[in-house]
Amino acid sequence: KGTTYGGGGGYGGFGGGGSNPLYGQTNGVAYAPFGPGSGGGAGQNVNYPASSGGGAIRIRAKRGVVVNGSLLANGTGRTTHYAGGASGGGIFIICKSFEGSGVLSANGDPSGSSNLSGGGGGGRVAVWLNVPELLWPRYLAGNLGQATLSETPPSTFTGTATAGIGQYSKAPMPTIGTVVFLTPPPMASLMLVR
C-alpha cells in the first residue's frame, strides 16, 4: 500500500490538497462565524491523526471591548506526520466600540508533511460595531441592507486580525479565511418597515 497524505481542513478558506484530491471546503458565513474550525485529514491509513480545528470564541458586550492581549482560535498545532493541517476557527464579537493593540487570530495549521499533505485553511473573524440589537435578527438572516463590511479595523484598534493559512501544503494550496468589521448605516438614515 502506498503512503496516504491527508488534506487540510476548511472553514473561512479551503484546505490544501492531500494525496487524494479531497480537501476541506468553506462553510458558514463571513459576517457571523458561530462555529469552530475543521480538523485536517488523517495520514497513512489513519495511523497518523490530524489536529483539531480552531475553537469558537464569542463575545457579546453591551459596551466597549478592549483587546490588548490575544484572542486565538488557531488550528491546534498538533498535526502528526502525513496528516493535513486543521483550519482556523471562528471569532465573533458584538460590541459598542472596539479598541486596543492586541491580536485576533484564526489561522490554519501547517500540514504534517511539507508539500505532500494539505495545510489548513483560514478561519473567520467578525466584529460587529455599534449594531442596534433590533437589527441582529435581520443581519443574522443575511439581510444586511446598507451595513458596511470592511477588512479594515476601526482606527481605535491598532492590533492585528488574521485568518491566515497553514504553510507547507501540497497543491491546491489552502486559501485565507475572512476578516470582517461590520457597521450599520448612520441612525439618521435608518428606517425600519414592518
Side-chain angles (χ1 to χ4, degrees):
K1 295 181 179 179
T3 302
T4 56
Y5 299 92
Y11 185 26
F14 290 98
S19 57
N20 58 37
L22 300 178
Y23 49 87
Q25 304 294 303
T26 60
N27 57 87
V29 292
Y31 57 85
F34 280 103
S38 303
Q44 189 61 15
N45 301 320
V46 307
N47 291 324
Y48 293 87
S51 56
S52 302
I57 298 174
R58 282 180 268 175
I59 297 173
R60 180 174 139 184
K62 291 192 179 225
R63 296 182 180 163
V65 167
V66 179
V67 177
N68 284 322
S70 298
L71 292 178
L72 306 178
N74 300 323
T76 56
R78 294 191 300 272
T79 302
T80 59
H81 195 47
Y82 303 118
S87 79
I91 300 175
F92 187 17
I93 300 172
I94 299 177
C95 57
K96 186 90 170 167
S97 61
F98 187 67
E99 58 187 274
S101 58
V103 174
L104 307 181
S105 178
N107 296 332
D109 262 350
S111 70
S113 296
S114 177
N115 302 320
L116 294 172
S117 51
R124 297 192 186 278
V125 177
V127 180
W128 288 14
L129 296 163
N130 201 26
V131 177
E133 192 167 349
L134 59 91
L135 288 178
W136 293 2
R138 291 172 184 256
Y139 286 5
L140 291 173
N143 182 9
L144 299 179
Q146 296 181 340
T148 300
L149 282 72
S150 173
E151 293 181 359
T152 305
S155 59
T156 52
F157 181 70
T158 59
T160 60
T162 60
I165 64 170
Q167 301 297 319
Y168 315 121
S169 181
K170 180 179 179 179
M173 296 296 288
T175 59
I176 62 172
T178 56
V179 176
V180 171
F181 292 87
L182 183 151
T183 53
M187 293 301 291
S189 64
L190 181 65
M191 181 173 68
L192 295 178
V193 178
R194 297 188 182 275

